[in-house]
Amino acid sequence: MKAAIAGNTSLTYYCLEYLCRSGMTDLILILPRNNHNDNYDLAEFDSLVREFALPYFKIPVPHDENDIPEVDLLVCLEWPERLRLPLNPRSGVISTNLFRQFSTKSISDLAAALDSGADHFKLELALASPATEKKTIVAAVELPICEFDNLRSLKTKAAAATARQLLGMLTEGRFLGENNPRAGTGLLTSRFDRAIDWYRPVGEIQNKVRAYTHPGPGCITRMENHSLYVWHGHAFDKSSGIYERAEPGTVLDVVEEVGIALQAADGSFLITKIQQAGAPELPSWVWAYGFHLKPGDRFDSVSQGRVTLAV
């Protein structure tokens, strides 16, 4: 079965590499041209294209280039919605309920699930037939969300599950025998807000940090008019038996090889990876020593983080 794989994120790369290394040869890659992405989680496909001699096309296709060859199946993975794919696959289009994670106003699917504190995400693959364009769910996998999963680890789970399902569809045609006319569970979304409010519960802060970490834009806080990106952290203590309670945002401790403990609404939160704007990402305790951070210093709480995104 000849298939076209469309997308330019880590999800596409993982699935395409898995299919190639599993022996699939009749594949082509479809990439969006520049300025047709949201600048998050972009993958570099050059090495994969060279290793497997993959034919690839960039959309939109200039008028002086050859048309994309006909394919049996189009697999559309995190493709920019506003960019039309000029293909008419014979068997239809496979898509997932995974979307670009971040837009100017909201976050979606995996990031939204983490932000909400969900304990699982239901990954669905749907087939839209060329005759009706009605989507039929042809595979569903429940992805567990563990306490320390973040956006990168959860997306890796989703990519691995998607790749395995696609291999079965392309080699065995398993989707042809399915008959589940559900249209999917819908788009899971949450409001886009990168700012950490230290007056919120520790659990909410932990969910926000793991939802916005790589490949996302990072959560933000401030210290003495310096913007800081918090990349990793987790709940540290809710017993109130380790540190005396302080005003939320107050530094409680800076521990070598561990991190920065800060007061939140109902306990302490440990920052383990941080980045000062314009500087490299660092273990938080390394940055703290360089910044001369000490217990009693205060991180600012802001009501909303603003960022400009190209979408």
Side-chain angles (χ1 to χ4, degrees), residues 217-234:
C219 287
I220 58 173
T221 186
R222 293 183 67 81
M223 162 67 73
E224 297 179 357
N225 295 320
H226 294 280
S227 293
L228 302 169
Y229 302 84
V230 178
W231 292 108
H232 291 283
H234 55 82

Side-chain angles (χ1 to χ4, degrees), residues 192-219:
F192 184 92
D193 183 1
R194 298 169 58 190
I196 296 176
D197 181 355
W198 297 107
Y199 286 84
R200 302 303 300 167
V202 167
E204 287 188 20
I205 296 172
Q206 175 172 300
N207 290 340
K208 181 183 287 286
V209 169
R210 62 185 189 154
Y212 281 82
T213 192
H214 302 298
C219 287

Side-chain angles (χ1 to χ4, degrees), residues 142-278:
E142 190 167 288
L143 306 176
I145 301 178
C146 304
E147 182 180 2
F148 291 108
D149 267 330
N150 58 28
L151 182 58
R152 176 60 76 193
S153 65
L154 186 55
K155 192 163 189 180
T156 299
K157 291 181 184 180
T162 302
R164 289 184 62 188
Q165 294 296 328
L166 288 176
L167 181 62
M169 293 174 187
L170 293 173
T171 57
E172 303 170 17
R174 285 206 303 252
F175 64 91
L176 296 176
E178 297 287 345
N179 184 23
N180 187 346
R182 292 182 298 119
T185 55
L187 178 62
L188 180 64
T189 63
S190 183
R191 185 171 65 92
F192 184 92
D193 183 1
R194 298 169 58 190
I196 296 176
D197 181 355
W198 297 107
Y199 286 84
R200 302 303 300 167
V202 167
E204 287 188 20
I205 296 172
Q206 175 172 300
N207 290 340
K208 181 183 287 286
V209 169
R210 62 185 189 154
Y212 281 82
T213 192
H214 302 298
C219 287
I220 58 173
T221 186
R222 293 183 67 81
M223 162 67 73
E224 297 179 357
N225 295 320
H226 294 280
S227 293
L228 302 169
Y229 302 84
V230 178
W231 292 108
H232 291 283
H234 55 82
F236 195 50
D237 172 49
K238 291 187 177 182
S239 69
S240 299
I242 299 176
Y243 302 108
E244 292 185 6
R245 291 191 64 83
E247 189 74 12
T250 301
V251 176
L252 302 173
D253 210 349
V254 178
V255 186
E256 186 174 348
E257 302 287 353
V258 178
I260 304 168
L262 283 89
Q263 181 70 54
D266 60 347
S268 58
F269 183 83
L270 186 74
I271 299 176
T272 55
K273 287 273 186 78
I274 201 167
Q275 180 180 10
Q276 187 171 328

Side-chain angles (χ1 to χ4, degrees), residues 48-71:
L48 198 62
V49 166
R50 288 195 300 269
E51 181 178 356
F52 293 99
L54 281 170
Y56 71 95
F57 297 84
K58 291 187 176 182
I59 303 295
V61 178
H63 295 296
D64 58 347
E65 290 189 7
N66 294 329
D67 292 336
I68 300 174
E70 290 188 359
V71 295

